[in-house]
């Protein structure tokens, strides 16, 4: 599920980006938008409060304050107020939020005790297609459905995940029954989604411990790809049964390494800032000797250049796809 958060470890230092009262970091694009608005209004600080959080904590606004700002992403939109627009000081708002977190943590302990009491085995708890547990409210809804209707799988997915990511859609009959869906809203910046047990797909056996797990693909230097790119990579890795291999390289680099695609395998084509093609190394085979690497060049001062021209040009080519550490 995509939302408007920035991945920690991106090019900007997370502490300098705009964030919500709960500490979620906005993307750089949204940070620049919010910073410009705050500057024009004379507001100081980088903390913004989503309207649902404002309503949850019953935070009073300054009389006559400006309208909230709409932040839009592929996952939907959310309205946010700057912390300066409230009559309550920021420290007090944070304490209200922290008190809520403490209550949730206490409820979480009670939930664990209740699960033990209800004899729900750990290997029977509902999991997402990333192999991860859901938030408390969503998990409880799923467990209630399991107890009342029974399910043949512990994995749950959205309609889009099943159809696009796993190429294993839910049947029309299953989707037409409202009781089969569980609505989840785990984050105040993400739109609600409806999840279904994968028993309702055309092939439930497609969802296993091997296929329903996190996939964090990396390039040849070990840098992680951005979430939207990683999602496309996971889809192709599932299709070619190579989810065990996280490394992707460009076709040009594969050629220099003496590798070519296995028959009937195709590269992943992306249309980001520049058209891109990448291949998972598990879909390649060695067909010739690698191209000999040219010794590192030195500059006018005698220093050794760490990258050759190919590495430099490919680095620029991949830059828009990667989460590059700030160091």
């Amino acid at each position: 599920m995509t939302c408007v958060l920035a991945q920690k470890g991106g090019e900007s230092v997370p502490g300098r980006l705009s964030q919500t009262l709960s500490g979620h970091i906005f993307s750089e694009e949204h940070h620049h938008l919010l910073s410009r608005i705050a500057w024009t209004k004379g507001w100081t600080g980088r903390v913004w409060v989503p309207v649902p959080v404002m309503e949850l904590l019953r935070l009073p606004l300054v009389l006559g304050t400006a309208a909230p700002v709409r932040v839009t992403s592929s996952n939907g939109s959310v309205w946010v107020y700057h912390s300066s627009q409230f009559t309550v000081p920021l420290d007090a708002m944070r304490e209200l939020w922290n008190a809520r977190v403490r209550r949730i943590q206490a409820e979480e302990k009670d939930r664990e005790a209740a699960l033990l009491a209800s004899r729900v085995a750990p290997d029977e708890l509902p999991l997402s297609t990333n192999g991860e547990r859901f938030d408390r409210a969503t998990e409880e809804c799923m467990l209630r459905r399991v107890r009342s209707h029974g399910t043949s799988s512990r994995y749950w997915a959205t309609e889009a995940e099943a159809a696009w990511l796993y190429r294993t859609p839910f049947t029309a009959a299953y989707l037409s029954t409202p009781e089969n869906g569980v609505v989840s809203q785990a984050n105040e910046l993400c739109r609600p989604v409806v999840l279904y047990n994968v028993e309702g797909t055309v092939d439930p056996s497609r969802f296993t411990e091997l296929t329903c797990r996190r996939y964090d693909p990396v390039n040849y230097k070990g840098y992680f790809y951005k979430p939207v790119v990683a999602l496309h990579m996971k889809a192709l890795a599932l299709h070619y049964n190579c989810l065990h291999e996280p490394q992707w390289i460009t076709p040009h680099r594969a050629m220099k390494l003496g590798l070519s695609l296995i028959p009937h395998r195709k590269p992943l084509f992306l249309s980001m800032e520049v058209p891109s093609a990448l291949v998972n190394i598990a879909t390649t085979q060695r067909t010739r000797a690698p191209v000999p690497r040219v010794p590192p060049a030195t500059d006018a001062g005698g220093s050794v250049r760490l990258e050759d021209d190919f590495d430099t040009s490919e680095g620029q080519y991949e830059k828009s796809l990667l989460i590059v550490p700030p160091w």
Side-chain angles (χ1 to χ4, degrees), residues 49-244:
V49 182
V51 169
V53 174
M54 177 195 77
E55 295 172 345
L56 184 68
L57 300 181
R58 299 180 180 180
L59 300 175
L61 290 165
V62 173
L63 186 64
T65 192
V69 179
R70 186 179 184 181
V71 178
T72 304
S73 73
S74 60
N75 194 53
S77 62
V78 64
W79 295 88
V80 295
Y81 283 101
H82 190 270
S83 59
S84 300
Q85 294 180 263
F86 297 92
T87 60
V88 181
L90 179 57
D91 288 344
M93 288 193 289
R94 280 179 169 151
E95 179 52 38
L96 286 171
W97 177 260
N98 291 336
R100 180 178 182 274
V101 171
R102 288 192 292 270
R103 287 196 300 271
I104 292 175
Q105 290 173 340
E107 292 172 358
E108 185 74 14
K109 292 180 180 178
D110 294 340
R111 177 177 72 126
E112 296 294 339
L115 287 174
L116 290 174
S118 63
R119 300 182 183 277
V120 177
D123 60 358
E124 294 177 355
L125 292 171
L127 296 179
S128 70
T129 53
N130 274 340
E132 299 167 343
R133 288 178 63 178
F134 294 95
D135 62 283
R136 176 182 58 84
T138 302
E139 186 175 271
E140 287 179 353
C141 288
M142 290 174 172
L143 289 174
R144 282 197 297 271
R145 189 193 178 284
V146 170
R147 285 192 288 267
S148 60
H149 296 82
T151 56
S152 59
S153 175
R154 66 183 306 197
Y155 296 104
W156 294 69
T158 65
E159 185 178 352
E161 284 176 324
W164 180 78
L165 194 59
Y166 287 83
R167 306 188 185 193
T168 310
F170 289 99
T171 65
Y174 194 82
L175 293 176
S176 65
T177 304
E179 292 78 12
N180 289 333
V182 171
V183 179
S184 172
Q185 185 170 11
N187 187 288
E188 73 267 25
L189 293 182
C190 295
R191 61 181 173 82
V193 295
V194 182
L195 295 150
Y196 301 90
N197 190 276
V198 300
E199 66 175 5
T201 63
V202 295
D203 183 13
S205 65
R206 185 79 173 105
F207 302 84
T208 67
E209 185 177 355
L210 295 177
T211 61
C212 293
R213 58 190 180 90
R214 284 196 65 85
Y215 187 59
D216 297 310
V218 297
N219 78 335
Y220 72 102
K221 284 188 173 181
Y223 292 158
F224 291 108
Y225 286 95
K226 292 180 178 179
V228 65
V229 179
L231 191 63
H232 285 273
M233 289 176 166
K234 182 174 182 178
L236 197 61
L238 283 166
H239 182 57
Y240 289 143
N241 295 317
C242 59
L243 206 60
H244 60 281

Side-chain angles (χ1 to χ4, degrees), residues 13-75:
V13 179
R16 296 177 183 173
L17 294 177
S18 299
Q19 59 182 280
T20 69
L21 184 63
S22 60
H24 290 297
I25 307 298
F26 285 97
S27 67
E28 288 190 55
E29 176 187 355
H30 293 132
H31 164 69
H32 293 314
L33 167 68
L34 296 173
S35 295
R36 285 196 301 270
I37 294 174
W39 182 79
T40 59
K41 298 291 186 181
W43 297 331
T44 59
R46 296 187 175 90
V47 177
W48 295 77
V49 182
V51 169
V53 174
M54 177 195 77
E55 295 172 345
L56 184 68
L57 300 181
R58 299 180 180 180
L59 300 175
L61 290 165
V62 173
L63 186 64
T65 192
V69 179
R70 186 179 184 181
V71 178
T72 304
S73 73
S74 60
N75 194 53

Side-chain angles (χ1 to χ4, degrees), residues 242-256:
C242 59
L243 206 60
H244 60 281
E245 177 52 65
Q247 190 175 43
W248 293 69
I249 57 178
T250 63
H252 192 183
R253 181 170 293 277
M255 181 183 67
K256 287 177 70 71

